[in-house]
Amino acid sequence: MQRSNPEAYFSRPQLYGGFGGFNRETKPFFVRSQRQRMNLVSIFLCFLLPWSLFCVIHAVTSFQIHYSRPILCYSLCGLGLLAVIVSGGFAIASTVSKLRSEGNFRQPNWHWFLFLTMLVAWILGIILGGLNFWTNMQPYYNYRNLNEYHLVNPATMRGQQLMDAGRVYFTNMTRLDLRRSMGFRNLDTYCVAPITVQGAGTLLPLASYDFWAVGLGCCSGNAADFHCGEYNNPKAHSGLRLLRDDQRSFFRLAVQQAESAYGIKATHPLFFYWNEDNQAEMNSFRDEGYKFFLIGMLAHFAWQLLSVTLAVAGFARLGQF
């Protein structure tokens, strides 16, 4: 019988790495697998779907539908959230499938990337769209829906007659009475100046000063130094109505201080931003809203493109597409 050679036995290649042939190899959580062909369709969808969702939610919450049909707006936002949940369901189903087939989930996939980026897109669309609506578009829609009055004479008309005014065009003889301006300080300085009428080269006293030009932080608060808006423009004879309820009470307090300081009367004061062209001022809110929306679209486009690029690079190192 041929005697086995111990040296030949222990020099077998399959025994390298451990005595007696024990396999001591361990696998990391994320491992490289056989490189697959890049799935361009998945990459394109992971870029397009989150960006499209952001644009839709941003538009729905920013513009007319939010103002005139809020229930429909919130319903569409709910459908967007449902799309996010569905993408999460696909991600979970993909994970469960891998666990059943491989017994260990060790490979990332595009389903989870799509779910996470769609969730981020939905949240950003809600936040930025709401900010754009409350800051820019809602004031524009309010001004457009309120009434417009022309040739208003502060000496003959009262505030009760213009309760639904959004844009007011005063007579050419209308001026700001800067001598009777006043400021009320509460964190910000709320500045007011009465709108009056000039006659024979002097400002006429009024029975009731019901129309006031206003501004924030454009006076000292303790002297007649109102310099808000187009206060020094001789062509300015119009006013855009103050619509913010949280500021109106502070401007009313400033008017009460002016009544006490100058011995005047304001029965029903209305507050306006003094300017030359109401239409241009109103459209500036709309233009800012469109600009905000466009910047948001482009910023999210760049963000999503960067995210997909980084994901492609990371998955390429693992051989997973």
Side-chain angles (χ1 to χ4, degrees):
M1 177 181 298
Q2 184 178 2
R3 178 176 294 181
S4 60
N5 186 351
E7 296 181 359
Y9 176 78
F10 287 110
S11 64
R12 292 178 182 177
Q14 64 267 29
L15 299 182
Y16 290 172
F19 179 80
F22 293 108
N23 184 9
R24 302 177 62 183
E25 180 183 359
T26 59
K27 296 182 178 180
F29 184 75
F30 288 117
V31 299
R32 296 177 183 269
S33 60
Q34 184 178 0
R35 183 172 294 276
Q36 305 174 20
R37 295 183 61 185
M38 183 178 296
N39 190 338
L40 295 178
V41 175
S42 296
I43 296 174
F44 178 74
L45 290 177
C46 284
F47 168 75
L48 180 64
L49 292 181
W51 183 63
S52 300
L53 178 65
F54 171 81
C55 293
V56 170
I57 298 300
H58 195 187
V60 165
T61 54
S62 289
F63 298 126
Q64 180 69 40
I65 190 173
H66 191 178
Y67 183 82
S68 58
R69 305 182 68 181
I71 295 179
L72 179 58
C73 169
Y74 300 142
S75 299
L76 293 175
C77 291
L79 289 177
L81 180 60
L82 180 62
V84 175
I85 295 174
V86 170
S87 68
F90 279 113
I92 294 175
S94 175
T95 302
V96 172
S97 176
K98 286 181 177 291
L99 287 172
R100 289 178 177 177
S101 61
E102 301 179 7
N104 187 17
F105 177 63
R106 295 179 286 113
Q107 299 174 357
N109 58 63
W110 285 106
H111 292 95
W112 281 107
F113 176 84
L114 179 63
F115 165 67
L116 293 175
T117 53
M118 286 190 69
L119 179 62
V120 171
W122 186 84
I123 294 174
L124 289 177
I126 292 290
I127 295 175
L128 296 181
L131 179 63
N132 190 23
F133 177 77
W134 298 115
T135 304
N136 298 311
M137 299 310 300
Q138 188 190 45
Y140 169 73
Y141 296 135
N142 284 336
Y143 285 128
R144 195 175 65 178
N145 290 328
L146 289 170
N147 272 339
E148 184 178 27
Y149 290 89
H150 293 265
L151 298 178
V152 174
N153 188 339
T156 59
M157 299 194 70
R158 296 293 177 260
Q160 294 92 329
Q161 298 175 264
L162 281 74
M163 293 294 294
D164 60 347
R167 288 164 287 166
V168 173
Y169 298 87
F170 297 94
T171 61
N172 290 336
M173 299 304 295
T174 303
R175 299 289 187 272
L176 296 184
D177 191 350
L178 301 180
R179 301 170 305 171
R180 294 185 170 94
S181 63
M182 184 59 66
F184 175 82
R185 186 180 298 275
N186 181 29
L187 297 181
D188 287 320
T189 302
Y190 297 82
C191 308
V192 297
I195 302 173
T196 185
V197 178
Q198 185 178 38
T202 184
L203 297 178
L204 302 178
L206 303 182
S208 178
Y209 291 84
D210 284 356
F211 304 97
W212 294 75
V214 299
L216 280 178
C218 43
C219 65
S220 63
N222 54 13
D225 59 349
F226 184 91
H227 51 275
C228 307
E230 300 182 44
Y231 74 101
N232 59 349
N233 183 359
K235 296 181 180 180
H237 302 290
S238 58
L240 205 60
R241 181 83 172 270
L242 170 73
L243 298 179
R244 291 188 56 174
D245 293 333
D246 60 323
Q247 295 180 352
R248 187 176 293 110
S249 61
F250 295 111
F251 286 119
R252 185 70 178 90
L253 291 173
V255 170
Q256 290 176 3
Q257 288 187 172
E259 288 181 285
S260 176
Y262 305 121
I264 60 177
K265 180 181 179 182
T267 304
H268 193 94
L270 300 180
F271 305 112
F272 299 90
Y273 297 108
W274 191 249
N275 64 86
E276 179 181 354
D277 189 348
N278 275 337
Q279 189 68 34
E281 289 293 322
M282 181 185 72
N283 290 340
S284 67
F285 286 94
R286 179 198 61 191
D287 297 341
E288 286 298 318
Y290 289 160
K291 183 189 300 183
F292 189 94
F293 176 74
L294 180 60
I295 292 175
M297 285 182 58
L298 295 177
H300 191 270
F301 182 93
W303 157 256
Q304 193 63 27
L305 182 61
L306 176 63
S307 299
V308 171
T309 302
L310 294 177
V312 168
F315 287 1
R317 293 176 62 86
L318 300 171
Q320 296 298 315
F321 294 97

